[in-house]
Amino acid sequence: MKKILLIIVTTSFAFFGATSKKDRRDQTDPCTIYGSIYFETKKGYADYVIYVEESEAFADLIVFKEENKLMADDTGLWYITDKRDFADYTVYIDKSDDNVDFTVYYTDLLAYAGCK
């Protein structure tokens, strides 16, 4: 009985520990990040670290801030929420573009939102 329990516990740790936050960041495709977004105040708690570009030309993702959560259903459409528990993703805005997961540029035009 003890051997079976040990195998189950060991397998569970291997399964749940398979993808760490760093592994997800290495596989980051900014084009897949849309929906409700919470801006984290601590870098270590965020799913992704981003840098806000001043120019559209250098950004990985062009973001349009949606007013309605239901409309944030495609690439580059973000609904900003103030409740972490209801967010699809949490991001931290870094002041430097060194070692960030991706860069964004905010647009006022819905048609420009998306990836390059």
Side-chain angles (χ1 to χ4, degrees):
M1 180 72 171
K2 289 181 182 180
K3 289 181 183 180
I4 295 173
L5 181 61
L6 180 61
I7 292 171
I8 292 172
V9 171
T10 305
T11 307
S12 297
F13 282 126
F15 177 74
F16 290 116
T19 58
S20 68
K21 191 177 284 189
K22 183 185 181 314
D23 291 338
R24 284 184 296 175
R25 285 184 183 174
D26 291 342
Q27 301 169 3
T28 301
D29 179 9
C31 299
T32 62
I33 299 173
Y34 58 87
S36 57
I37 307 295
Y38 176 78
F39 291 117
E40 189 61 64
T41 57
K42 296 184 180 178
K43 191 174 188 177
Y45 293 150
D47 293 325
Y48 300 102
V49 179
I50 66 170
Y51 176 75
V52 179
E53 288 283 354
E54 294 182 20
S55 171
E56 179 180 348
F58 301 110
D60 298 317
L61 178 66
I62 312 299
V63 173
F64 178 79
K65 293 181 184 178
E66 277 289 350
E67 298 291 326
N68 183 340
K69 181 179 180 176
L70 298 175
M71 299 303 291
D73 61 352
D74 201 5
T75 301
L77 303 179
W78 287 11
Y79 171 78
I80 310 303
T81 182
D82 59 350
K83 303 205 181 333
R84 186 181 208 284
D85 294 336
F86 297 118
D88 296 318
Y89 300 98
T90 59
V91 298
Y92 174 81
I93 299 175
D94 205 337
K95 295 177 183 175
S96 170
D97 62 351
D98 296 333
N99 298 320
V100 296
D101 297 314
F102 58 93
T103 58
V104 301
Y105 173 81
Y106 292 114
T107 183
D108 294 331
L109 301 172
L110 174 63
Y112 292 150
C115 282
K116 295 182 178 186

